[in-house]
Amino acid sequence: MKDKLRILLRIALVLLLVCGVTVGVLYANRDIGIPTDQLEQAMRESQDIPDDWTVQTSAGDTTAAGIAYAPNHSDYVFALYIDRDTHRFFTTGWFFTMGGSLFEISDFVAAFTVNDRPETAYISMNAEKIDRAVIDSGIETRTIELDSTQPFALVLPRSSGSVTFYGADGQPAEVRIVR
């Protein structure tokens, strides 16, 4: 009986060791991404974002975006994440693809589509005081309310229709496509 218990214990120990090594290799190869609920924390760490900055994130099925900005809106950084192709074994979570600051974000709405993903990330410091995004599918119109005093990150499926951002003055805001 003791021999069987020792054998089972050794098998369990070997399986635990194999699992640990596998996770270590996956992590080292960057095949384990960031969970959605940890995007803000990962963005703060990777971009060295001060604690008093606000971070806004938005995630779709294949793209996630975030913008972090100073309390007085004098400075900002953005980050764009994608999920990896689903054919990769054990690949999960979000992977950083680009970030920093761009004038399109500070003055306009920047639209990002990465690697022909089916979603577009819209990021803006909201200089144009945008208070809503109107999505027109040709069949129906949907409105997403935004705070005109705050920067935003918004990820939307490209299949949802045309997206127009409107400022508080009722005028359409300029969207700049970033490649």
Side-chain angles (χ1 to χ4, degrees):
M1 184 69 171
K2 284 187 174 182
D3 289 337
K4 287 183 181 180
L5 186 59
R6 282 186 187 154
I7 291 172
L8 286 175
L9 186 60
R10 285 181 182 170
I11 290 173
L13 193 59
V14 168
L15 287 175
L16 187 61
L17 182 64
V18 168
C19 288
V21 169
T22 301
V23 168
V25 168
L26 290 172
Y27 183 77
N29 288 336
R30 299 181 186 255
D31 285 332
I32 297 178
I34 303 160
T36 301
D37 64 347
Q38 293 179 17
L39 276 175
E40 178 180 342
Q41 177 185 348
M43 188 174 166
R44 284 186 183 278
E45 291 171 3
S46 69
Q47 303 267 342
D48 261 346
I49 296 170
D51 290 339
D52 65 336
W53 282 29
T54 302
V55 177
Q56 300 282 335
T57 60
S58 178
D61 292 332
T62 65
T63 305
I67 185 165
Y69 51 92
N72 62 2
H73 297 195
S74 62
D75 199 9
Y76 74 93
V77 294
F78 81 96
L80 203 56
Y81 300 86
I82 59 170
D83 69 340
R84 292 236 179 113
D85 296 334
T86 56
H87 70 273
R88 294 197 52 174
F89 190 61
F90 280 123
T91 300
T92 182
W94 297 107
F95 296 87
F96 178 82
T97 189
M98 73 173 66
S101 59
L102 298 169
F103 82 92
E104 289 91 350
I105 293 172
S106 61
D107 295 341
F108 309 101
V109 177
F112 298 87
T113 302
V114 181
N115 299 337
D116 297 323
R117 301 282 168 159
E119 294 169 318
T120 300
Y122 299 95
I123 305 173
S124 177
M125 279 298 289
N126 210 356
E128 297 182 274
K129 305 292 184 218
I130 296 163
D131 65 359
R132 67 191 180 282
V134 177
I135 301 133
D136 185 355
S137 69
I139 299 170
E140 67 176 317
T141 301
R142 181 171 61 111
T143 301
I144 298 173
E145 300 294 330
L146 300 168
D147 184 341
S148 64
T149 65
Q150 298 300 316
F152 63 87
L154 183 63
V155 175
L156 297 171
R158 285 189 283 153
S159 63
S160 59
S162 66
V163 179
T164 306
F165 292 90
Y166 290 95
D169 61 1
Q171 296 299 312
E174 186 171 347
V175 175
R176 297 265 178 111
I177 297 171
V178 179
R179 301 209 186 268

